[in-house]
Amino acid sequence: MSSQDIPEENLPAEQDATVAVADEKHPFADPGLPPHEHRIQDIDERAAKRSERTVALLFTVSMLATVGFIASYVAIPHDKSIFVFPIGHLNALNFALGLTLGAALFCIGAGAVHWARTLMSDEEVADDRHPIAAEPEVKAKVMADFKQGAKESALGRRKLIRNTMFGALALFPLSGVVLLRDLGPLPGTKLRHTLWSKGKLLVNMNTNEPLRPADVAVGSLTFVKPEGLEEHDHDFQNEIAKAALMVIRLQPDDIKDKQELDWSYQGIVAYSKICTHVGCPISLYEQQTHHALCPCHQSTFDLADGAKVIFGPAGHPLPQLRIGVNDEGYLEALGDFTEPVGPAFWERG
């Protein structure tokens, strides 16, 4: 439908398209605003009603998506997985929450944009502003004062002063760079290494005794520290924050991840106790499901499947420590972690 098909009394009033003419005072003529083109919604109430219904539909879909978000959170088990082509297997709860929340936000945004583009006023309005430039007399006085100041400073004639001043101004910021040294020593590779190394015994943190395989029962959780680290050491807190370990014994047939099985000893696996979200200590273990839970933000790791994240905000699995048994029958580390423990950082690799 065009404006020719609409009765003249239904058409909005036309804008004044007066164009100014250039003169000596205003060398650039004001081009004015182009003639306003009316949208179909401006001249046809039926089209406006259709846009109104479209906006209302989008907002209604957003409400339904929000209800779906709440229902998904309540009804879907957190350990259920589904296959989504072509992505693959996904956690059903995370997929449903992301889909419904994304739909709710998208429909709110799309409804607001459609409302603004089709129903709100779209006429351009020119608002004149006062000249920014200073009066010629003021400009002349400023330039005269600047030239007089430059002449009185003798900066052009006193080259020695000028050059040394530039040198002082250039070197002075280096003082601030030197002060950055007080932020602390550079970390180097400390974030990538712990006290664990080949031959270090696994010591029970409760009994302070080395562990034998027989000391770890199936389904049990034991917290471990490296041999030689004592609580009275001045750097104990810093070192245990990286080296804290939890040892769990599983049935070898229950271990799904091949590397986890290869790095274990008779079903005994050792994982970092430090959560990969923000570094909280993991302390809750569910024997039947082999899940470890971080109490801070509920990140959940499957210790029977490479400690993969199955719920929560953690971004990657817990690092595993490769272990074995020495000649005396004690559990020992076969090296350090192969990746940094705890939360990810910018050089994680």
Side-chain angles (χ1 to χ4, degrees):
M1 181 181 291
S2 65
S3 59
Q4 287 79 11
D5 301 325
I6 305 300
E8 187 174 347
E9 59 271 14
N10 290 350
L11 294 174
E14 294 290 342
Q15 263 185 281
D16 183 11
T18 304
V19 177
V21 180
D23 54 25
E24 293 182 0
K25 186 175 182 181
H26 302 93
F28 298 100
D30 182 2
L33 295 174
H36 179 66
E37 296 184 4
H38 301 296
R39 301 166 301 186
I40 187 64
Q41 291 84 1
D42 297 330
I43 56 180
D44 186 0
E45 183 60 24
R46 289 175 299 176
K49 287 291 184 181
R50 286 195 298 270
S51 294
E52 181 181 3
R53 287 192 292 269
T54 300
V55 174
L57 175 63
L58 289 168
F59 289 160
T60 303
V61 172
S62 175
M63 291 188 286
L64 294 176
T66 301
V67 174
F69 177 90
I70 299 172
S72 299
Y73 187 84
V74 173
I76 301 178
H78 64 79
D79 56 352
K80 180 179 177 58
S81 63
I82 58 174
F83 180 80
V84 179
F85 179 83
I87 302 175
H89 289 281
L90 299 174
N91 182 278
L93 178 58
N94 289 344
F95 178 75
L97 294 180
L99 185 64
T100 52
L101 182 61
L105 293 175
F106 173 80
C107 288
I108 289 176
V113 170
H114 192 66
W115 183 7
R117 289 179 62 86
T118 61
L119 295 175
M120 294 184 184
S121 175
D122 70 333
E123 293 187 9
E124 296 181 356
V125 178
D127 187 13
D128 295 334
R129 60 185 181 184
H130 62 80
I132 299 177
E135 297 294 331
E137 297 80 7
V138 176
K139 293 170 63 176
K141 185 177 184 307
V142 170
M143 293 304 299
D145 291 344
F146 177 80
K147 292 178 180 179
Q148 181 65 23
K151 180 179 179 181
E152 292 176 356
S153 69
L155 193 64
R157 291 191 301 114
R158 310 293 181 182
K159 295 183 179 180
L160 180 62
I161 294 177
R162 181 189 63 194
N163 295 340
T164 52
M165 180 189 70
F166 289 158
L169 293 176
L171 289 177
F172 179 76
L174 294 179
S175 302
V177 176
V178 173
L179 292 178
L180 295 176
R181 181 64 179 79
D182 282 343
L183 294 177
L186 296 175
T189 60
K190 292 180 180 178
L191 297 177
R192 295 184 177 275
H193 301 288
T194 70
L195 287 182
W196 292 109
S197 59
K198 184 176 177 56
K200 282 269 187 180
L201 296 181
L202 277 63
V203 177
N204 189 317
M205 292 192 66
N206 293 323
T207 65
N208 212 34
E209 296 292 334
L211 281 177
R212 295 179 182 271
D215 298 331
V216 186
V218 174
S220 66
L221 172 65
T222 306
F223 296 129
V224 170
K225 65 179 180 180
E227 174 190 16
L229 182 62
E230 303 296 338
E231 291 189 11
H232 55 74
D233 295 340
H234 75 281
D235 59 346
F236 174 80
Q237 297 297 339
N238 288 334
E239 295 300 335
I240 200 64
K242 297 184 294 180
L245 204 66
M246 54 182 178
V247 172
I248 308 96
R249 188 164 200 162
L250 309 173
Q251 294 290 356
D253 294 340
D254 292 339
I255 298 178
K256 307 172 188 176
D257 186 80
K258 184 179 184 304
Q259 177 178 287
E260 178 181 358
L261 184 61
D262 293 340
W263 286 17
S264 66
Y265 179 80
Q266 295 180 355
I268 301 175
V269 295
Y271 280 105
S272 171
K273 185 184 176 183
I274 309 304
C275 181
T276 56
H277 177 217
V278 292
C280 296
I282 298 173
S283 57
L284 304 175
Y285 175 64
E286 191 175 36
Q287 184 182 42
Q288 289 75 19
T289 61
H290 313 304
H291 293 170
L293 174 70
C294 176
C296 292
H297 305 98
Q298 286 69 57
S299 292
T300 306
F301 305 87
D302 188 353
L303 300 187
D305 192 14
K308 294 178 181 177
V309 182
I310 59 174
F311 181 79
H316 51 275
L318 297 172
Q320 183 181 2
L321 184 70
R322 189 175 184 181
I323 60 173
V325 172
N326 64 10
D327 296 337
E328 299 177 0
Y330 291 106
L331 291 171
E332 66 174 0
L334 298 182
D336 197 358
F337 291 105
T338 58
E339 59 181 322
V341 301
F345 61 94
W346 58 92
E347 293 179 350
R348 185 179 181 87

